[in-house]
Amino acid sequence: MPQLNGGGGDDLGANDEMIAFKDEGDHEEKIRESAFTESDLADLKSSLVSETEISQSPAVIRRGQQDEQRIYSDKREHLDDVPKHHDGGMYKAPYSGYPFLMLPEPYLPNGPVSPSSNKVSVVQQGMHPLTPLLPYEHFNPSPTHMPTDGGQKPGVHRHQTQEISGFYSLPQGQITPSMNWPNQPVYPLPSCGFRQPFSSGLQSGSSYPRFSHSLMLQSGMHPTGIPHPAIVPPSGKQEHDQFDRSIYNKSHAEAKREKEPKKPVIKKPLNAFMLYMKEMRAKVIAECTLKESAAINQILGRRWHALTREEQAKYYELARKERQLHMQLYPSWSARDNYGKKKRRKRDKQQDSSTEPGSPKKCRARFGLNQQTDWCGPCR
DNA sequence: CAACCTTTGAAGCGC
DNA sequence: GCGCTTCAAAGGTTG
């Protein structure tokens, strides 16, 4: 784990992070576990057991067992020494980068959150439990979205407990682009003389993803009925409508066959840099009046390297929490599940253009980026 | 309208 | 175990 106070590891890379996670996991586990009661965790455990029982592949079983074992052993290990850092229901994490680690009671299904409140305060409501960068502004946590009877859909993971689902049973909320992390560095708004070759103007509103109501209700939903940003329609957002239409263009059997195996796609959890990009993108857009993501990402890549270890550590830590939660929510999921689609496309493309010296598109893009060499200071 | 571009990091895969 | 590949987000651009 990245050293928050500058002590220890030099490398914030994935491997070191994971190793450090194992070594320094006690603190993290305590933080996480303080969100659950013992009975909650027992529920989680039993549900995970159920998950492994209904899982088909050995890999699924293996991961489910591992998760179950890990979670339960962690629970048993730390249940008695979990630091109680609650203040008015909001956990005060010792590490200030994660005010959202422990969700206050309003996040729980039975919490006092008013379902009618669409605009909620940052961090507290309407956002991803671990990434306040992910708004759920179009999600209406009406009771119809909350499976209180344990109703099970095909392919649904039964391990989802109410406690964990509480993490995701978030009311509508909106995050302003200016939302910051507690200790997040603030970049001054420059008089940016950036020349943008691609576009101009700042789009009103946030660039953060917005999950449409219909999307959530149809397939952007965690199997438990809890929407999660990691869950997207089977073919992705752009193919969403196409998917429905195509069914009617095919024979009934074909459509049925095609429809059945398609499950909501569970996306990979975001890594540290992705989380950083999500948070800072709007800021860079505002500062540099840029909209083209490739250029923005280059800026963000440089800024990422310019961050201090401590600043990066916040995101590595958050990413680790993301992975943890993702693993708990989808024990049977593997990155392999989303493998192959682009790979096949790329392979086909390489076969087609194996004799070509280079990609004109890439050269064009590089040329376009060369036009941006006169970035203003804040955009470097 | 799918694919591309661009970034870093995590994970999968093949050897 | 190492190196390569793929995918995660984003949205303008391209074909």
Side-chain angles (χ1 to χ4, degrees), chain A residues 37 107 184 303:
Chain A
T37 66
Y107 286 81
Q184 167 187 325
R303 287 190 177 184

Side-chain angles (χ1 to χ4, degrees), chain A residues 108-136:
Chain A
L108 300 178
N110 297 328
V113 165
S114 168
S116 61
S117 62
N118 295 342
K119 304 284 184 179
V120 293
S121 60
V122 167
V123 172
Q124 291 182 352
Q125 295 177 356
M127 62 185 61
H128 189 282
L130 293 179
T131 63
L133 323 165
L134 306 177
Y136 290 76

Side-chain angles (χ1 to χ4, degrees), chain A residues 218-280:
Chain A
Q218 289 179 29
S219 53
M221 190 78 78
H222 182 264
T224 57
I226 307 302
H228 186 279
I231 304 179
V232 299
S235 303
K237 56 185 177 183
Q238 291 173 325
E239 303 171 32
H240 180 245
D241 291 335
Q242 198 177 28
F243 169 71
D244 288 338
R245 281 196 301 270
S246 64
I247 291 174
Y248 296 99
N249 294 334
K250 297 178 178 180
S251 70
H252 178 70
E254 205 175 1
K256 188 179 179 181
R257 191 185 332 125
E258 191 170 283
K259 190 175 184 177
E260 275 181 350
K262 286 195 175 181
K263 298 175 184 177
V265 176
I266 299 172
K267 305 283 246 178
K268 290 175 67 174
L270 304 187
N271 63 39
F273 180 70
M274 287 293 152
L275 293 170
Y276 172 75
M277 282 211 306
K278 254 188 177 309
E279 183 181 6
M280 301 302 291

Side-chain angles (χ1 to χ4, degrees), chain A residues 346-360:
Chain A
K346 193 170 185 176
R347 194 185 304 141
D348 294 342
K349 186 183 173 184
Q350 282 176 345
Q351 287 175 351
D352 292 343
S353 60
S354 58
T355 57
E356 294 178 8
S359 165

Side-chain angles (χ1 to χ4, degrees), chain A residues 139-152:
Chain A
F139 169 57
N140 186 347
S142 65
T144 55
H145 302 154
M146 304 287 193
T148 56
D149 58 350
Q152 204 69 19

Side-chain angles (χ1 to χ4, degrees), chain A residues 17-35:
Chain A
E17 181 203 353
M18 292 309 293
I19 293 170
F21 168 46
K22 290 174 182 175
D23 294 339
E24 305 175 17
D26 282 357
H27 171 67
E28 307 300 333
E29 294 301 328
K30 288 173 184 176
I31 293 174
R32 176 169 61 85
E33 288 155 14
S34 65

Side-chain angles (χ1 to χ4, degrees), chain A residues 82-331:
Chain A
V82 169
K84 303 297 188 297
H85 291 294
H86 287 79
D87 182 8
M90 172 61 83
Y91 175 76
K92 299 283 188 180
Y95 183 37
S96 59
Y98 302 99
F100 36 79
L101 289 180
M102 292 300 105
L103 298 174
E105 282 80 359
Y107 286 81
L108 300 178
N110 297 328
V113 165
S114 168
S116 61
S117 62
N118 295 342
K119 304 284 184 179
V120 293
S121 60
V122 167
V123 172
Q124 291 182 352
Q125 295 177 356
M127 62 185 61
H128 189 282
L130 293 179
T131 63
L133 323 165
L134 306 177
Y136 290 76
E137 60 183 345
H138 291 158
F139 169 57
N140 186 347
S142 65
T144 55
H145 302 154
M146 304 287 193
T148 56
D149 58 350
Q152 204 69 19
K153 294 177 181 179
V156 161
H157 298 306
R158 296 185 57 192
H159 72 278
Q160 179 64 61
T161 65
Q162 209 175 26
E163 287 67 36
I164 284 194
S165 69
F167 278 116
Y168 291 92
S169 59
L170 302 173
Q172 291 184 11
Q174 188 164 4
I175 294 177
T176 64
S178 60
M179 185 202 71
N180 294 332
W181 287 51
N183 295 330
Q184 167 187 325
V186 175
Y187 296 93
L189 267 175
S191 56
C192 183
F194 177 77
R195 297 199 309 205
Q196 39 178 312
F198 304 111
S199 60
S200 63
L202 175 63
Q203 197 173 32
S204 64
S206 170
S207 67
Y208 294 131
R210 297 178 181 218
F211 303 98
S212 74
H213 220 54
S214 59
L215 206 63
M216 289 296 190
L217 293 175
Q218 289 179 29
S219 53
M221 190 78 78
H222 182 264
T224 57
I226 307 302
H228 186 279
I231 304 179
V232 299
S235 303
K237 56 185 177 183
Q238 291 173 325
E239 303 171 32
H240 180 245
D241 291 335
Q242 198 177 28
F243 169 71
D244 288 338
R245 281 196 301 270
S246 64
I247 291 174
Y248 296 99
N249 294 334
K250 297 178 178 180
S251 70
H252 178 70
E254 205 175 1
K256 188 179 179 181
R257 191 185 332 125
E258 191 170 283
K259 190 175 184 177
E260 275 181 350
K262 286 195 175 181
K263 298 175 184 177
V265 176
I266 299 172
K267 305 283 246 178
K268 290 175 67 174
L270 304 187
N271 63 39
F273 180 70
M274 287 293 152
L275 293 170
Y276 172 75
M277 282 211 306
K278 254 188 177 309
E279 183 181 6
M280 301 302 291
R281 174 178 299 279
K283 193 165 289 182
V284 171
I285 290 173
E287 290 175 3
C288 303
T289 61
L290 265 176
K291 290 169 75 177
E292 211 272 339
S293 289
I296 293 170
N297 292 349
Q298 284 193 331
I299 296 171
L300 288 169
R302 286 196 297 270
R303 287 190 177 184
W304 173 254
H305 287 297
L307 290 180
T308 65
R309 298 268 180 201
E310 288 75 20
E311 289 167 334
Q312 286 189 351
K314 293 190 300 187
Y315 297 94
Y316 282 111
E317 187 79 357
L318 181 58
R320 189 168 58 75
K321 291 289 179 185
E322 277 282 324
R323 290 196 301 273
Q324 267 189 281
L325 183 61
H326 194 277
M327 201 177 294
Q328 290 181 27
L329 289 173
Y330 320 112

